[in-house]
Amino acid sequence: GLNTTITDSTISGNTSALSGGGVFASNTDFFSEVTVTGSTISNNHTTGSGAKGGGIHAATTVLYVTSSDEDGNYTLGDGAFGGGIYADGQYPNDEDYAGNINITNSTIANNETRGERGYGGGIFVDGGEVEVRNSTITGNNALGALCNPARFKIGAAIYSDNDITVTDSIITGNTAPVAGGPEIQEGSGSGDVRGDGQVVFQGSNIIGADTAIANAAKAAAADVFDGDVRDNGGDVVTIALKANASNPALDASNATGTDARGEARQFDQVNVPDEGGPSDLGAVELRETVEANSLVVTTTADVVDGTDGQTSLREAVAYADSKAGADTITFAAGGQGLIRLTGGQIEITDAL
């Protein structure tokens, strides 16, 4: 077949009235593959009705996205599915293979479908399977899915009519217009899990803040990530993990090899219990030692820094707020001085 390979590249700021705002690859006569490695596909969009895939439209192909960033892409038209990625098509002699998407060590963030009947804010797959491994999917929005609220409460992050397999990944902070809509949606039909496929979670995963899914932790994006997409080293932008011992993404995976930046996995956090292994979930490994959470204030500085080895009053209060019941905050022996709240007022939400 005729294959497409994109390596160490940036495709950004493009517009198409047809499908594939950044990349369009189609091969209806022969089986083919599209491989994106170490690349950024960002801020592209489509405008036409049915113009799918704001970032990438891969038709009758298998799409591999590895150590890459797909962010800020969107679709505008009616029925324009897949704000970030759209894949479809059945190869006549291998219908279970064409249309598959494999996402590894990658970030899919802040993509949107804005037109009516816009499913799949991050990813839409029609006819193929989705496999997500060691990746981060957040901030994607199925904003335009408003025609039939009973159906279109779905697919904020991923919409597929076939199997979805998620391994050691973070999928949280994605939104759809109907409250309570799942971050991941399969097919058409009824219920939260739709169609003939199934969602399979392997290893450890974080899936949304409110979604009750077996074999997956629940956490809000604010509790997992340190900010948004930015340069955290490496060839592509990523989303860093919050340096906090309470972050459920830390030391939760047995992944080996390297992360999206090429940094080694398995940086064992000595102050974090190994819930699933010495590696972190998502596309990026936090390679700084986080301090243990503490109710003992050891510095007068008004800082929030999970790697400086000290506990500020602000950090101690935040830790107390995260724990059920009343807590007592103390100050280290011999410590003295004025604490100036240079970061603003401290919010206390639990008994002290």
Side-chain angles (χ1 to χ4, degrees), residues 19-269:
S19 293
V23 176
F24 178 80
S26 177
N27 190 356
T28 58
D29 296 324
F30 302 97
F31 169 75
S32 63
E33 296 180 351
V34 177
T35 302
V36 180
T37 305
S39 295
T40 296
I41 299 177
S42 65
N43 301 315
N44 305 287
H45 71 276
T46 64
T47 60
S49 177
K52 306 173 181 70
I56 299 174
H57 182 168
T60 323
T61 64
V62 176
L63 174 63
Y64 297 93
V65 179
T66 303
S67 299
S68 295
D69 164 63
E70 173 100 7
D71 77 272
N73 304 287
Y74 60 92
T75 62
L76 286 174
D78 177 32
F81 309 148
I85 297 173
Y86 180 88
D88 70 328
Q90 299 289 351
Y91 186 60
N93 297 322
D94 197 354
E95 64 180 17
D96 292 328
Y97 195 37
N100 289 1
I101 290 183
N102 296 270
I103 309 290
T104 304
N105 271 350
S106 293
T107 301
I108 312 294
N110 306 322
N111 303 287
E112 296 179 344
T113 55
R114 300 181 182 179
E116 291 188 348
R117 299 185 301 134
Y119 320 153
I123 299 170
F124 184 104
V125 179
D126 180 10
E129 298 179 357
V130 181
E131 182 173 342
V132 178
R133 180 180 295 273
N134 299 118
S135 293
T136 297
I137 303 180
T138 187
N140 301 286
N141 302 293
L143 294 178
L146 295 172
C147 290
N148 184 348
R151 280 191 67 192
F152 301 117
K153 63 180 183 180
I154 42 87
I158 302 173
Y159 183 104
S160 174
D161 62 0
N162 210 321
D163 293 347
I164 301 171
T165 302
V166 182
T167 306
D168 294 339
S169 295
I170 305 170
I171 303 176
T172 189
N174 305 282
T175 59
V178 176
E183 310 231 5
I184 299 176
Q185 186 70 27
E186 290 180 283
S188 60
S190 61
D192 284 340
V193 178
R194 301 182 169 198
D196 296 329
Q198 59 180 336
V199 179
V200 177
F201 295 101
Q202 299 178 340
S204 300
N205 298 279
I206 294 174
I207 310 294
D210 303 312
T211 305
I213 296 177
N215 303 321
K218 297 189 294 183
D223 296 326
V224 177
F225 302 123
D226 180 14
D228 205 339
V229 176
R230 66 171 184 261
D231 183 1
N232 292 299
D235 294 332
V236 297
V237 293
T238 53
I239 302 178
L241 296 176
K242 178 172 286 188
N244 188 300
S246 298
N247 187 340
L250 302 182
D251 282 9
S253 164
N254 275 316
T256 58
T258 58
D259 66 6
R261 306 165 300 173
E263 297 282 350
R265 294 278 187 180
Q266 300 201 334
F267 185 88
D268 194 12
Q269 296 287 348

